[in-house]
Amino acid sequence: MFPTFTGSSRKGRNVNLSGQKAINPFTSTSWAPSAAAGASKTVAHAQAERAQRQHERDRLKAAQRIQKTWRGHRSRRTLRTSRRQAVDLLYLGEGPVDVKRRTVEAIPLVLSLYQVSSQEDQERLCLLARDLLQTKFACFEVGAVEHPRLAKLARLVVAALDRLDPNVDRSQVQTLFEALVEITKARPRSVQPVLGNFYKMLGRYCHTCGTTSQLMGLIRSAVGAPLSATNAPESFAQTAYYEFAVSFLTQPDLFLFESNVATFAADVDVDRLSDSLQARTVTESKTPESQADLMWLLSHFIVLQKARKQLVLHSRSLRVLYSLLSSLSSQIRAGFAASDLKTSGEARDLEETPQPTLPPYVSDKLASLTDRDEISGLLEKFTSDHGGTSASELEDAGFLAGYILTLIYCFPTLSDDIRMRLYLADIPTRHGPLPAVKFFWNAFSRTSIFSRVASDADTALAILRRPPSSDADPTWHREWRTILLFLELYIFVLRLTDDDDFFSGLSVSAGLDGSKSRLRSSGLKVQDLKRLTLFLKHLGFTLYYNAAELLGSISGPTNTADEPSASPFQPRGVASSNLAAGAVSFTLTAGVDFEAFRTLVATAMRMLYERDSRRQFLPQNHWLMTSKFNMEGFLSAVVLEEQSQRERAEVDDEDDEDEADAEEAPITLSSGGLRLSRQAQMERIRVARKQVTRDMLRAAAGPKLEILRNMPFVIPFDMRVQIFRQFVYLDKHRRRGGNIDPDRWRLSVLNQHGGPFDPTPTGTNILSRHQAQIQRGRIFQDAMESYWDLGEGLKEPIQITFVDEFGIQEAGIDGGGVTKEFLISVTSEAFRPNERLFVANDKNSYYPNPCDMDQLKNTLQEAQIAEGSEDWVESIAYRQRQYEFLGRVIGKCLYEGILIDITFAGFFLLKWASSAGAADTYRANINDLRELDEEFYQGMLRLKNYPGDVRDLSIDFTITDQISLPGEPVRTRTRNLVPNGEDVPVTNENRPLYTSYVARHRLVVQPYAQTLAFLRGLGMIIDPGWLSMFNQNELQRLVGGDSSEIDVEDLRKHTVYSGVYSIGDDGEEHPTVQLFWEVMHGLEDHERRDVLKYVTSTPRAPLLGFSQLSPPFSIRDGGMDQERLPSASTCVNLLKLPQYHTAAGLKRKLLYAVTSGAGFDLS
């Protein structure tokens, strides 16, 4: 107790009369639940009462709003009723009527009472319109009615017309149209707020009325009235033309307009229409609906500009066409491709994938852009622009170049026709007419980009780093378009040009011949070709080597091409998305993105390189770019890149397996049935971007590999051979677990499966699958039966036992020599004429039999085997397996370094080198026909140079293929080279195209199945990317060895001796061996080749010298008999040489054995 002034410390008593416990509700604790509950109950009651009061207030306000709305509606309805009665009294009254006075009274009444849903109001509006027409809108002229009311009247008339049916309410429609036209003419600005609905309504009438209508004149006047208004400001004209474009021309199937374009076009100024579209972007939206609208706008714009410009494009309309075509290029390309598939008989052979198709009208008008007159007009415009000096004219020329490139991209099936019309054009200049190729070459060679890149290899990267955006210097875009257009045309000309025409134009004096053909007139001189190839080489190198850097500079910061992979601190997905975005955004013109641009440059470069490799016209080492690399470490750097890419590919394969089920979703169509659904479109975009990302990542991880695959000629040949051998060695090391020697590999397999003394069935099965008994006389058939199921496993060591016709095994152990003999025997037997798999030309060069599949199918038909039956399918598949297995065997020879004495045709080897990409990049040309059939080639040349009218020969775009076997009565089948080829005659103008299509059919189409099967087998053993490092001549050397003179000292240095001839401690060779090398030095080169073939089965040395010969060249003593001939075991490259005493005797015996083929079995 504490004392206080009262004398007591006891607290006074608190009395609470509320009935609630005196507890602070905001200080309640968890251990006082009753107190908290009481406080919460109080708060809850207060909130509920507040909510109820608010609800009552809301109900009251809602009731007041409803009453207010209803009173307003009732008042308006009453007012409208009274005004309708007033209007009816005005028009139903009897006696004389003052129309002008009635019009003044009726206008405010009708404007206030009109409801578009009321049929009676429609009639009242028509009565007013008749009065206005009768009085010629006098009430507005004298000021009796305010002008703003005219705008409202125009809006009501447009709404009424949009509601009426022209086939039912014709009189009302006619009256309202007449009134609307008069309003537009009298005061155009009155209709400006409703121009969009105005033209949408007119579009509906053009669609509904069909191709002919009594309302034709009125509709045409209504369409043209806003466009031809003379008493309106310029802003109104721009708005009118813009709304005419986006609200009228975008509508589909304007039958009345499309059937009477010339009449409608009389009121349309195409230049002003072009200006309005150019000023206001209409191509920003990318939804399917807007794309369809733009397609119709483009089609209608085409017919308008043709009607007004007499088929010749004007600069302004060219810009609009280029803009629209650019934005729609992908849809147009897909639509024309789908239409071609729909009409082609080959469509059923393709995977059934829904493709968007174009309406017939749109397709027809778009295709008209490729007409000859249209192209001629373009060239005339291009000539005038390049002849000027003003910036605007040069800019127009850039637009024109981009426009032609867009046409080529949009119409893939017509692209050759477009190029042909460009090729046939003569363009007037100050120095006389020039062929289009020469003209574009002059324009191309004068660009600053060409001069800078051709003179300095490092300049290309700096030029390409500039982002190709709309804000960039227009000169940059214009020059690139000119360059791309020349490359497109020059590639086309190279396809048509044979070697005689090409090389005849190389000299300066060639231009003095006035009678030379157009192809020769289109050729470039040696100095021009040297500058062109330098430009292509420098540009192509940058596009491949610095691809990641270029795309990264567009999409964002990324690694340079020299770095093998992305930063370890950067997520892989980030790098992928950056590169993919860069690939998409790098677009020089419509359809020419980064990959298309790079392909175009590479194609032109390869075609010129192939000419030079076939018949050299450029300086020695012109194509090399060794200064761009550190050649000392180049081999190891390439190997590291290849290993990095292989690891990335394995990861990608795992990702593909995870996503396989998701990608099998069915493709759906939109409700219209003509477009892919949005889901399908997004899926296609996703897959395409994924592929682009992979390609870009591959380029980033291996720039040197990209160069080797796409521009191998910049690296010396010997270095590429070493890289190839190193790739093979690493592949063997990886597959065989480091055990490259065949015996060590077999032992390692047994050790992994139970050991050599008690192997498991799995180990035994692995080895048994690599062993085979092969019967002499049917080596190819037995080999295929034994090793077909191995597939890629044929890379591992195989073990062969030969048996004779009675099944008796031949003595011998396969230490590598028997395998070599087996592979050589397989190829020798498969290439025999009776197998009909391959045929040889007059130079004994082999290529797949082009007629083989047709002959097989004809044989099956004669045997009454139904097409598509099980027997039919199996027969075709078995034949293709034979080609594929032969490809595997050739690949095995390359893999093991075994040379075979078979020469392949150059055009066939080109397909080996071009098979590394996603699609075959081999381009057939007339020169390759010479290797196929010299007589056929000469016939094509005679046709190409025929001096008269080719029409007299009655040739069409068809070709005849033989389908009967050799020795049987000849049977043929005629096929079209182009759709409806039997109706397309060959003329003097299109005969170069005809020869090109014939070459493509003979070299690509006819042997397609055979070639594809062979390359599939070859690619199973040898990575196609490795083969792409070589041209056709280099591949032949890789397969059969070096055709240069035999280096005797190199052979001597790498020869192995055994038996008596073994070199002793003194290091001296046996006297007979010394005599042998003395004789070899004295032989002619062809005699040395005969000796080499006698021992090794091939007359050519390995590419990197005899150190690469496997097994090595060996000499063993063959006894003391001086009359005995030398003998050989080609399977182990062994020469069994008797111990001759004189050089003359050795030479005589050696040449006799070599030339007679004797001595193989005398050991």
Side-chain angles (χ1 to χ4, degrees):
M1 294 293 181
F2 295 96
T4 65
F5 67 92
T6 60
S8 175
S9 62
R10 185 182 298 274
K11 187 177 180 180
R13 181 180 178 186
N14 291 329
V15 179
N16 184 2
L17 302 179
S18 66
Q20 300 290 336
K21 292 186 177 181
I23 296 177
N24 188 348
F26 302 103
T27 60
S28 61
T29 60
S30 58
W31 54 84
S34 59
S40 300
K41 186 175 180 181
T42 302
V43 174
H45 275 295
Q47 291 176 343
E49 290 174 357
R50 188 180 300 113
Q52 186 174 1
R53 289 192 300 272
Q54 183 63 38
H55 179 65
E56 291 296 334
R57 285 192 294 268
D58 291 341
R59 288 185 61 190
L60 179 61
K61 290 181 180 180
Q64 291 172 349
R65 284 196 299 269
I66 292 173
Q67 292 172 3
K68 180 180 179 181
T69 303
W70 167 247
R71 285 193 299 268
H73 169 71
R74 185 175 59 185
S75 299
R76 288 191 296 272
R77 186 176 62 183
T78 303
L79 181 60
R80 280 198 181 96
T81 302
S82 63
R83 292 186 176 182
R84 286 186 178 113
Q85 292 173 355
V87 171
D88 293 343
L89 287 175
L90 286 174
Y91 285 96
L92 297 179
E94 299 179 356
V97 177
D98 185 354
V99 178
K100 292 183 179 180
R101 178 173 166 277
R102 182 173 67 183
T103 303
V104 173
E105 295 177 2
I107 286 178
L109 295 175
V110 173
L111 294 182
S112 62
L113 66 85
Y114 179 80
Q115 286 184 308
V116 70
S117 59
S118 172
Q119 181 65 33
E120 292 80 6
D121 287 352
Q122 299 275 16
E123 296 175 357
R124 295 182 182 98
L125 182 62
C126 289
L127 292 173
L128 174 61
R130 291 192 186 98
D131 282 355
L132 288 170
L133 291 170
Q134 185 176 348
T135 61
K136 298 182 179 179
F137 290 82
C139 59
F140 291 98
E141 297 294 335
V142 299
V145 180
E146 299 85 353
H147 280 287
R149 295 191 179 228
L150 194 59
K152 185 173 182 181
L153 178 62
R155 178 171 58 83
L156 296 184
V157 172
V158 170
L161 284 170
D162 197 36
R163 187 85 175 182
L164 294 174
D165 185 349
N167 299 319
V168 178
D169 311 301
R170 181 168 299 174
S171 62
Q172 293 184 7
V173 168
Q174 184 172 351
T175 301
L176 293 178
F177 260 126
E178 291 174 355
L180 186 59
V181 170
E182 290 300 323
I183 293 173
T184 306
K185 290 180 178 179
R187 190 172 177 82
R189 297 188 66 177
S190 299
V191 299
Q192 185 168 356
V194 293
L195 277 175
N197 293 332
F198 176 89
Y199 278 112
K200 287 179 182 178
M201 174 270 296
L202 289 174
R204 185 180 71 84
Y205 274 81
C206 286
H207 176 78
T208 306
C209 292
T211 57
T212 60
S213 174
Q214 295 179 356
L215 298 173
M216 164 66 189
L218 286 173
I219 295 176
R220 176 244 170 145
S221 299
V223 169
L227 306 179
S228 57
T230 58
N231 55 343
E234 181 62 26
S235 60
F236 172 81
Q238 292 180 358
T239 303
Y241 272 98
Y242 181 75
E243 292 296 344
F244 170 68
V246 300
S247 300
F248 181 79
L249 296 181
T250 55
Q251 297 189 48
D253 297 326
L254 301 176
F255 299 117
L256 189 64
F257 171 80
E258 293 163 3
S259 303
N260 304 274
V261 171
T263 304
F264 281 89
D267 298 324
V268 180
D269 186 336
V270 176
D271 288 342
R272 298 187 75 174
L273 176 62
S274 302
D275 291 341
S276 66
L277 288 174
Q278 194 69 23
R280 304 190 186 191
T281 304
V282 297
T283 59
E284 293 179 353
S285 180
K286 297 298 181 183
T287 63
E289 290 75 19
S290 67
Q291 294 292 307
D293 294 344
L294 287 178
M295 197 75 74
W296 282 101
L297 170 61
L298 174 59
S299 304
H300 293 144
F301 183 83
I302 290 170
V303 296
L304 279 175
Q305 65 88 15
K306 284 191 174 183
R308 294 291 288 167
K309 296 296 181 183
Q310 290 78 42
L311 303 180
V312 178
L313 274 174
H314 193 270
S315 171
R316 299 176 182 177
S317 57
L318 172 66
R319 291 168 179 263
V320 174
L321 280 177
Y322 173 62
S323 178
L324 290 172
L325 281 172
S326 299
S327 63
L328 297 170
S329 57
S330 299
Q331 289 78 11
I332 295 174
R333 183 181 178 90
F336 271 84
S339 300
D340 294 333
L341 285 179
K342 206 170 183 180
T343 59
S344 173
E346 298 176 358
R348 62 179 178 271
D349 298 330
L350 302 176
E351 181 182 358
E352 295 184 1
T353 302
Q355 294 284 349
T357 57
L358 300 176
Y361 182 86
V362 173
S363 178
D364 179 65
K365 299 311 171 187
L366 292 178
S368 69
L369 294 175
T370 63
D371 292 343
R372 181 175 180 179
D373 292 336
E374 189 81 11
I375 300 298
S376 300
L378 288 173
L379 295 178
E380 291 177 7
K381 183 61 185 174
F382 191 84
T383 304
S384 63
D385 286 345
H386 266 269
T389 57
S390 70
S392 62
E393 288 177 338
L394 292 176
E395 188 176 354
D396 290 341
F399 272 107
L400 181 59
Y403 172 74
I404 296 176
L405 289 168
T406 306
L407 285 182
I408 292 173
Y409 174 78
C410 288
F411 307 102
T413 57
L414 301 174
S415 59
D416 277 346
D417 294 333
I418 299 171
R419 297 185 186 101
M420 175 59 74
R421 288 171 186 134
L422 284 173
Y423 158 73
L424 292 174
D426 284 322
I427 302 179
T429 64
R430 291 181 301 171
H431 305 290
L434 276 179
V437 179
K438 285 290 188 69
F439 177 81
F440 288 126
W441 161 250
N442 291 337
F444 164 69
S445 59
R446 288 198 300 266
T447 61
S448 61
I449 292 177
F450 173 78
S451 58
R452 292 171 61 191
V453 173
S455 59
D456 186 359
D458 298 327
T459 307
L461 180 60
I463 294 175
L464 289 170
R465 270 178 177 158
R466 178 184 301 180
S469 63
S470 58
D471 298 331
D473 184 2
T475 304
W476 191 88
H477 284 278
R478 184 178 64 247
E479 290 192 352
W480 275 121
R481 290 173 186 143
T482 305
I483 291 170
L484 294 174
L485 182 58
F486 168 76
L487 292 179
E488 278 282 0
L489 185 55
Y490 192 60
I491 289 171
F492 178 73
V493 171
L494 287 177
R495 282 172 46 200
L496 305 181
T497 308
D498 62 87
D499 284 344
D500 292 339
D501 287 337
F502 180 83
F503 288 99
S504 68
L506 295 184
S507 63
V508 177
S509 60
L512 302 176
D513 183 9
S515 61
K516 60 182 179 178
S517 67
R518 172 166 290 275
L519 282 172
R520 297 193 178 192
S521 301
S522 301
L524 301 181
K525 304 297 184 289
V526 172
Q527 291 304 316
D528 293 337
L529 287 173
K530 185 177 180 181
R531 295 170 60 207
L532 175 60
T533 51
L534 284 173
F535 170 81
L536 294 173
K537 184 177 68 171
H538 296 164
L539 181 59
F541 182 89
T542 303
L543 289 173
Y544 282 107
Y545 192 81
N546 302 102
E549 184 175 356
L550 287 173
L551 298 181
S553 66
I554 298 170
S555 59
T558 186
N559 298 332
T560 64
D562 292 325
E563 297 177 358
S565 60
S567 169
F569 303 103
Q570 183 183 32
R572 181 182 169 195
V574 174
S576 302
S577 59
N578 285 344
L579 290 171
V584 173
S585 61
F586 191 104
T587 302
L588 297 178
T589 187
V592 186
D593 56 9
F594 181 81
E595 191 57 37
F597 174 43
R598 189 166 65 173
T599 301
L600 189 67
V601 173
T603 300
M605 179 170 47
R606 288 194 197 103
M607 294 182 78
L608 288 171
Y609 171 72
E610 288 169 10
R611 297 265 184 181
D612 188 52
S613 63
R614 188 164 56 239
R615 181 176 164 185
Q616 186 173 350
F617 59 89
L618 293 171
Q620 192 74 22
N621 299 329
H622 173 78
W623 295 98
L624 294 180
M625 296 184 70
T626 52
S627 61
K628 305 290 288 186
F629 303 102
N630 175 16
M631 297 308 296
E632 293 182 359
F634 187 77
L635 176 60
S636 58
V638 169
V639 170
L640 287 175
E641 288 183 3
E642 202 274 340
Q643 290 177 330
S644 174
Q645 287 197 4
R646 183 177 295 278
E647 293 172 359
R648 184 179 295 275
E650 292 174 354
V651 173
D652 290 339
D653 290 341
E654 294 176 0
D655 294 342
D656 286 343
E657 292 176 1
D658 295 338
E659 297 181 4
D661 295 336
E663 292 183 358
E664 291 178 358
I667 296 177
T668 57
L669 288 172
S670 65
S671 57
L674 298 181
R675 295 190 306 268
L676 289 174
S677 68
R678 185 169 184 82
Q679 177 186 0
Q681 292 178 13
M682 296 301 295
E683 178 63 17
R684 285 192 171 187
I685 293 173
R686 188 189 70 81
V687 172
R689 287 182 176 176
K690 183 177 180 180
Q691 184 61 42
V692 168
T693 301
R694 286 186 179 181
D695 293 342
M696 294 304 102
L697 287 174
R698 184 180 69 178
K704 297 179 180 64
L705 273 179
E706 287 294 293
I707 293 296
L708 281 172
R709 288 170 177 152
N710 298 281
M711 298 178 59
F713 39 80
V714 304
I715 305 298
F717 174 63
D718 290 346
M719 174 61 71
R720 284 180 276 135
V721 175
Q722 294 180 42
I723 292 172
F724 174 79
R725 294 298 182 200
Q726 187 67 19
F727 283 169
V728 171
Y729 175 83
L730 292 175
D731 191 62
K732 288 181 179 179
H733 191 276
R734 179 179 59 85
R735 293 183 59 88
R736 302 178 186 180
N739 300 289
I740 296 179
D741 180 75
D743 291 332
R744 291 179 61 86
W745 175 77
R746 296 185 186 99
L747 182 60
S748 69
V749 171
L750 294 177
N751 287 333
Q752 293 173 15
H753 299 87
F757 302 106
D758 188 20
T760 63
T762 302
T764 305
N765 180 57
I766 293 174
L767 294 183
S768 64
R769 293 176 67 236
H770 289 78
Q771 298 172 354
Q773 282 193 348
I774 306 298
Q775 180 180 327
R776 300 281 186 181
R778 45 172 291 153
I779 296 178
F780 180 68
Q781 183 177 351
D782 284 356
M784 184 172 171
E785 292 175 357
S786 300
Y787 289 131
W788 170 259
D789 292 335
L790 271 184
E792 194 177 3
L794 192 61
K795 290 183 177 182
E796 270 65 80
I798 56 176
Q799 202 163 15
I800 306 298
T801 302
F802 283 108
V803 298
D804 59 19
E805 57 182 336
F806 303 106
I808 301 176
Q809 294 185 3
E810 295 182 4
I813 299 175
D814 188 358
V818 178
T819 299
K820 175 192 172 185
E821 181 183 357
F822 162 73
L823 294 173
I824 293 176
S825 300
V826 169
T827 56
S828 300
E829 188 173 300
F831 284 90
R832 289 186 304 192
N834 62 326
E835 293 290 338
R836 300 196 311 276
L837 290 169
F838 276 69
V839 292
N841 58 22
D842 54 357
K843 296 182 180 179
N844 206 35
S845 298
Y846 287 88
Y847 55 88
N849 182 4
C851 304
D852 189 44
M853 285 299 168
D854 287 333
Q855 291 170 346
L856 176 59
K857 292 177 181 178
N858 181 61
T859 302
L860 295 174
Q861 289 174 348
E862 291 179 347
Q864 305 298 317
I865 297 177
E867 184 174 356
S869 64
E870 185 177 349
D871 291 339
W872 175 286
V873 173
E874 177 56 31
S875 298
I876 299 296
Y878 179 77
R879 193 60 168 175
Q880 291 180 345
R881 286 198 296 271
Q882 287 183 303
Y883 280 102
E884 182 175 343
F885 182 73
L886 185 55
R888 295 183 195 175
V889 172
I890 299 297
K892 176 70 171 176
C893 292
L894 286 169
Y895 197 76
E896 301 294 347
I898 297 173
L899 303 179
I900 55 177
D901 188 21
I902 294 175
T903 302
F904 293 101
F907 72 87
F908 180 54
L909 289 168
L910 279 174
K911 297 180 182 181
W912 295 21
S914 66
S915 63
D920 190 357
T921 57
Y922 169 71
R923 290 175 177 263
N925 61 78
I926 191 173
N927 299 287
D928 292 339
L929 285 177
R930 170 173 278 174
E931 293 185 280
L932 181 80
D933 188 331
E934 178 70 27
E935 184 178 351
F936 186 74
Y937 168 76
Q938 294 299 333
M940 287 291 101
L941 288 187
R942 286 192 293 271
L943 173 65
K944 188 169 69 73
N945 300 318
Y946 183 68
D949 189 353
V950 176
R951 288 180 181 270
D952 298 338
L953 303 179
S954 301
I955 306 174
D956 53 32
F957 274 75
T958 61
I959 195 167
T960 302
D961 295 334
Q962 180 177 339
I963 62 174
S964 57
L965 293 173
E968 295 181 354
V970 176
R971 292 186 60 191
T972 60
R973 178 170 297 164
T974 301
R975 293 186 168 100
N976 286 331
L977 294 173
V978 296
N980 303 317
E982 67 276 4
D983 300 326
V984 182
V986 178
T987 64
N988 287 0
E989 291 185 347
N990 64 19
R991 59 181 167 179
L993 204 57
Y994 171 77
T995 58
S996 175
Y997 287 166
V998 167
R1000 184 180 64 183
H1001 179 82
R1002 287 282 183 247
L1003 297 168
V1004 178
V1005 178
Q1006 193 179 12
Y1008 178 77
Q1010 301 91 299
T1011 304
L1012 183 64
F1014 179 89
L1015 293 180
R1016 186 167 55 245
L1018 179 64
M1020 189 173 291
I1021 307 300
I1022 301 294
D1023 188 331
W1026 303 348
L1027 297 176
S1028 66
M1029 295 190 297
F1030 306 97
N1031 64 23
Q1032 68 273 34
N1033 297 326
E1034 294 166 346
L1035 279 174
Q1036 182 58 57
R1037 294 169 66 186
L1038 201 65
V1039 171
D1042 202 335
S1043 57
S1044 60
E1045 185 175 346
I1046 300 298
D1047 186 347
V1048 176
E1049 284 303 317
D1050 183 54
L1051 176 62
R1052 186 176 188 174
K1053 179 180 178 181
H1054 297 97
T1055 297
V1056 176
Y1057 305 99
S1058 59
V1060 175
Y1061 295 152
S1062 297
I1063 297 178
D1065 296 336
D1066 58 358
E1068 295 293 330
E1069 294 174 339
H1070 190 276
T1072 302
V1073 172
Q1074 294 179 4
L1075 290 177
F1076 172 78
W1077 293 120
E1078 179 183 340
V1079 169
M1080 286 292 291
H1081 274 290
L1083 295 178
E1084 299 290 338
D1085 187 63
H1086 69 89
E1087 293 174 325
R1088 296 175 188 168
R1089 292 184 181 281
D1090 290 339
V1091 173
L1092 188 62
K1093 182 175 182 179
Y1094 181 72
V1095 179
T1096 67
S1097 74
T1098 180
R1100 292 177 289 273
L1103 290 180
L1104 299 180
F1106 287 98
S1107 62
Q1108 303 296 313
L1109 187 63
S1110 178
F1113 191 89
S1114 305
I1115 301 178
R1116 195 184 76 187
D1117 67 286
M1120 300 293 295
D1121 188 353
Q1122 299 296 303
E1123 298 302 321
R1124 186 174 182 176
L1125 294 175
S1127 60
S1129 296
T1130 58
C1131 58
V1132 289
N1133 299 333
L1134 174 64
L1135 173 65
K1136 293 172 240 183
L1137 183 68
Q1139 299 178 35
Y1140 298 113
H1141 299 313
T1142 63
L1146 190 152
K1147 179 178 180 180
R1148 184 176 65 256
K1149 295 292 185 181
L1150 179 63
L1151 292 180
Y1152 181 82
V1154 167
T1155 55
S1156 65
F1160 286 96
D1161 298 320
L1162 297 180
S1163 59

